[in-house]
Amino acid sequence: MADQLRHIPVMLNEAVEGLAVREGGRYLDGTFGRGGHARAVLSRLGPDGRLLLMDRDPQAIAAAQQEFAGDPRVAIRHANFSTLAEWDETDAGLDGVLLDLGVSSPQLDEAARGFSFMADAPLDMRMDTTQDESAADFLAHADERDMADVLWTFGEERFSRKIARAIVERRAESPITRTGELAALIERVVGRREPGKHPATRSFQALRIRVNGELDALQRGLNGALDRLKVGGRLSVISFHSLEDRAVKLFIRDHSGRVQGSRRGPPVVAAPARLAAVGKAQFPSDAEQAANPRARSAVLRVAEKLAEGNASEGGLA
């Protein structure tokens, strides 16, 4: 119960409204977390509705089992949403897929998970604690160039090379195994250059994305959702940083049937339209941002599965 009180679902009404839930529909929440969005979807389902719940975090699945295992409308699976099309519960097709990307509030708030530099803890960062490699493991074996590439690509960290070099020099003396150690090292290397932002913010984001394979999982999950959605089914995705949002935006665009060729290049034949954006990108209200600061960077995009060959409408702001 404490987790539920602490975890405030972001853009709850907007994300669920985007699904256009029908009483007898079949929906999948690929990122259960602590169930805020799932609860809202389930409240709109009738006795013939079906809600599929997935999460890669064993603690989230334990919470789902505790609350929903007795509801015959609900099926629960411990897995990354990237594998949703491999779950036989999705074979019958889906009327909606909801994804709330990134790290959840319970993961951030439990210091021992190692996602945050706000408290000293083991440098873990695994969303699925049954997987092998932690952030500390990655830093212990990655070569300097690969480490710098991760910090730049996934964190857009301008000082990626300096930070990678400092980590390699430090681990030659002793391994970096604590969040506090890593945050202090990064602060020494780059200083406090952005008011209101800890200098380790970008690096911690980059390591988390690398350890959990988040962008690869997102691409696979989007493809799986498109494959399993019925015609007229909705995809509702909440992103929290530009890399995620860009991937979602481009995925919708690339399946919209629009020609993306250059005016100076040879003619390009558009692929059949399979998705249409539903409205433009949505952002949290000022009131929600004030009540829940973690919502500030959120972006919601909604798309609808088309009958193949239909023209797409809507915008991608």
Side-chain angles (χ1 to χ4, degrees):
M1 180 61 70
D3 273 351
Q4 291 178 16
L5 293 175
R6 184 167 63 241
H7 177 63
I8 305 172
V10 172
M11 300 187 76
L12 174 62
N13 293 329
E14 297 90 337
V16 176
E17 287 291 338
L19 292 176
V21 177
R22 296 185 297 102
E23 285 191 1
R26 192 178 190 89
Y27 298 88
L28 182 143
D29 181 347
T31 48
F32 175 79
R34 290 304 181 268
H37 295 103
R39 244 171 256 115
V41 173
L42 194 60
S43 71
R44 301 183 183 205
L45 293 180
D48 296 325
R50 187 74 166 156
L51 179 60
L52 313 181
L53 303 177
M54 300 181 74
D55 206 292
R56 66 196 303 184
D57 188 333
Q59 293 183 18
I61 290 300
Q65 294 282 3
Q66 182 176 4
E67 184 171 358
F68 295 112
D71 192 322
R73 299 172 297 172
V74 177
I76 302 169
R77 187 183 195 214
H78 174 216
N80 192 317
F81 68 79
S82 65
T83 66
L84 71 88
E86 299 169 21
W87 189 7
D88 57 8
E89 283 277 1
T90 69
D91 289 349
L94 299 168
D95 294 290
V97 173
L98 188 149
L99 303 175
D100 181 9
L101 304 176
V103 64
S104 70
S105 291
Q107 289 167 337
L108 282 172
D109 291 337
E110 186 180 340
R113 300 296 297 271
F115 287 102
S116 174
F117 42 76
M118 301 303 292
D120 186 44
L123 187 58
D124 194 319
M125 297 193 187
R126 292 172 298 165
M127 292 179 179
D128 183 350
T129 51
T130 66
Q131 71 184 50
D132 294 330
E133 186 177 68
S134 68
D137 295 330
F138 172 73
L139 294 183
H141 71 71
D143 69 34
E144 184 176 325
R145 174 176 288 185
D146 287 346
M147 199 183 305
D149 285 347
V150 165
L151 298 180
W152 170 250
T153 302
F154 298 146
E156 299 175 312
E157 172 55 71
R158 292 188 293 120
F159 295 96
S160 58
R161 292 181 181 178
K162 290 179 65 176
I163 294 170
R165 189 176 309 120
I167 290 172
V168 170
E169 291 173 355
R170 168 63 184 276
R171 77 185 183 192
E173 302 171 6
S174 61
I176 300 172
T177 61
R178 309 284 298 182
T179 57
E181 292 177 88
L182 180 60
L185 181 150
I186 293 171
E187 186 170 5
R188 287 196 299 273
V189 171
V190 305
R192 291 222 172 230
R193 64 188 190 278
E194 296 180 73
K197 179 178 284 191
H198 192 285
T201 300
R202 296 177 185 275
S203 295
F204 269 62
Q205 172 186 295
L207 289 172
R208 189 202 83 213
I209 291 172
R210 165 59 178 77
V211 166
N212 294 289
E214 291 178 42
L215 294 182
D216 287 341
L218 175 57
Q219 200 63 47
R220 290 177 59 203
L222 292 173
N223 283 320
L226 179 57
D227 181 62
R228 287 295 188 255
L229 280 171
K230 302 173 185 176
V231 172
R234 294 287 187 88
L235 174 66
S236 186
V237 185
I238 304 169
S239 306
F240 288 88
H241 58 74
S242 59
L243 295 176
E244 290 174 339
D245 181 53
R246 188 179 307 138
V248 176
K249 178 179 179 178
L250 292 179
F251 182 83
I252 296 171
R253 186 203 69 183
D254 291 346
H255 290 89
S256 69
R258 297 178 182 177
V259 175
Q260 304 300 327
S262 167
R263 287 180 297 175
R264 297 182 180 180
V268 177
V269 178
R274 301 184 68 198
L275 276 179
V278 177
K280 295 187 176 183
Q282 300 179 58
F283 304 91
S285 66
D286 292 341
E288 179 173 4
Q289 293 182 52
N292 182 14
R294 288 177 179 169
R296 283 179 296 194
S297 60
V299 182
L300 169 66
R301 294 186 186 274
V302 178
E304 183 173 304
K305 175 78 171 281
L306 300 171
E308 195 163 309
N310 282 6
S312 67
E313 298 177 358
L316 283 176

